[in-house]
Amino acid sequence: MKLIAKSAEMQSISESHRLAGKKIAVVPTMGYLHEGHISLIKKAKELADVVITTLFVNPTQFAPNEDFEKYPRSPERDYNLAQENGSDYLFNPATEEMYPGGFHSAINMTGITDKFEGEKRHNHFNGVATVVAKLFNITKPHIAVFGQKDYQQTLAIYQLVRDFLFDLKVVVAPTIRENDGLAMSSRNVYLSSAEREKAGVIYKSLSDALLVIEKGENRRKIINAVLHNTLRSVHEIKIDYASAADADTLEEPDVFLPGEHVILVIAVYLGKTRLIDNALITIPNDPHIKKHYFV
Ligand code: PAF
């Protein structure tokens, strides 16, 4: 695997692969790779001839009060993991390479990014969109692979690709979980062992809500109450949001109809660590649940 730090070099390598008729997949990451990232690299390898993993902790997607400085970093370990799992290139630019003096542009996202993460993390999606657009122009991929763990981010990326006509396909791969269901995340390393033991409640609350939906519940308030009640069983948890929403638009109707895709989204603080998770479900086509949306 080749380590590349300069955008111009990465662009020219990608261009030569394109001219040779090779299919390129990019896996954008902020490093501190875990099984979740590895599954994305493996997915990219399945779909393309050339895999580029990018490693850049993007300052513009962190608010001043957030964890940019202490975000975990381990570039050597990341290099080895990316290589072992089939990446052909690791693009690891310095901050000045991505945002040199004179860089004064930013993408401003609205709509799908206004609520949930967008509301709680001011400017976050503008930073994500700006860096991802730049990474697309540097790596020139046919395919870009993202994780479902950052569900709203995947909607933002679809929007970005549609709005700017990026000529690539976005692929979203499933969340990879620890044994107790905790979604793999670079930020899990912040958890103390006591907090880590309690973190499984996030997945439990998603599972409880999925169960009531499967049994016929389609009222948003009741589904949200199930999410909140399970989360509240752990006193150390502070809920940032926990809601059911339309999986495509993130709208929050009172009642979801059979066949509609629903996303359950959660963000909580466990101690000082902010964790997010989500689960997708289709409202079952079961006639007995009609009573909920005809009343
Ligand atoms: O999901 C992430 O790790 C980041 O938001 C991304 C897409 C690499 C952009 O910095």
Side-chain angles (χ1 to χ4, degrees):
M1 186 182 72
K2 207 163 170 214
L3 179 65
I4 313 284
K6 297 290 174 201
S7 307
E9 188 186 359
M10 189 73 256
Q11 279 181 312
S12 101
I13 288 172
S14 289
E15 191 54 30
S16 57
H17 283 302
R18 278 187 163 256
L19 289 172
K22 302 287 186 205
K23 195 176 255 189
I24 303 172
V26 68
V27 182
T29 83
M30 297 206 300
Y32 211 71
L33 302 184
H34 50 66
E35 287 299 324
H37 296 114
I38 288 168
S39 76
L40 305 183
I41 295 172
K42 287 183 174 161
K43 171 57 80 182
K45 195 77 193 165
E46 254 171 62
L47 300 173
D49 306 306
V50 177
V51 175
I52 305 172
T53 302
T54 72
L55 192 182
F56 180 63
V57 185
N58 174 36
T60 66
Q61 70 188 73
F62 291 79
N65 61 327
E66 291 182 354
D67 58 342
F68 173 69
E69 295 299 341
K70 73 167 196 177
Y71 195 84
R73 290 160 169 91
S74 64
E76 291 84 20
R77 189 176 147 273
D78 290 344
Y79 179 93
N80 292 332
L81 281 172
Q83 181 171 45
E84 281 158 24
N85 289 285
S87 192
D88 300 289
Y89 297 93
L90 184 69
F91 178 61
N92 180 205
T95 307
E96 311 77 60
E97 179 68 14
M98 292 299 277
Y99 300 114
F103 185 97
H104 288 304
S105 306
I107 292 175
N108 181 35
M109 296 208 77
T110 57
I112 204 84
T113 55
D114 287 346
K115 60 208 301 194
F116 301 128
E117 285 304 278
E119 190 184 342
K120 300 289 179 181
R121 303 187 64 191
H122 188 60
N123 249 336
H124 170 68
F125 286 117
N126 294 342
V128 170
T130 304
V131 82
V132 167
K134 187 152 182 172
L135 289 170
F136 285 166
N137 284 331
I138 293 169
T139 58
K140 303 177 181 238
H142 299 88
I143 296 167
V145 187
F146 294 87
Q148 192 197 311
K149 156 82 175 19
D150 296 294
Y151 184 79
Q152 195 176 4
Q153 173 171 278
T154 65
L155 295 183
I157 302 292
Y158 281 124
Q159 180 80 49
L160 178 76
V161 167
R162 268 199 308 276
D163 287 350
F164 287 97
L165 302 175
F166 281 106
D167 190 11
L168 56 85
K169 185 174 171 224
V170 174
V171 171
V172 176
T175 303
I176 306 296
R177 299 180 180 281
E178 304 280 1
N179 287 340
D180 64 348
L182 177 66
M184 298 244 180
S185 163
S186 305
R187 290 187 168 98
N188 292 351
V189 73
Y190 297 152
L191 298 170
S192 69
S193 50
E195 288 166 349
R196 175 63 194 86
E197 268 176 34
K198 303 199 163 153
V201 75
I202 301 168
Y203 181 66
K204 179 157 189 331
S205 76
L206 291 171
S207 307
D208 289 351
L210 290 175
L211 202 65
V212 296
I213 295 172
E214 273 160 20
K215 285 187 178 156
E217 185 55 74
N218 63 344
R219 292 165 295 180
R220 185 174 52 82
K221 276 192 180 157
I222 307 288
I223 299 167
N224 287 1
V226 173
L227 289 171
H228 282 246
N229 284 342
T230 305
L231 288 170
R232 278 201 214 103
S233 67
V234 169
H235 299 301
E236 293 83 351
I237 290 251
K238 190 175 147 266
I239 301 173
D240 218 7
Y241 58 78
S243 301
D246 181 285
D248 302 315
T249 63
L250 297 187
E251 275 160 21
E252 294 169 278
D254 290 341
V255 168
F256 296 104
L257 303 182
E260 280 183 349
H261 303 304
V262 172
I263 187 77
L264 308 175
V265 283
I266 290 182
V268 297
Y269 285 92
L270 183 45
K272 288 197 172 122
T273 306
R274 188 170 185 278
L275 299 169
I276 61 171
D277 202 351
N278 65 77
L280 256 177
I281 185 167
T282 303
I283 298 291
N285 254 322
D286 183 337
H288 84 269
I289 68 172
K290 279 187 181 153
K291 65 179 189 287
H292 295 319
Y293 62 90
F294 283 128
V295 287

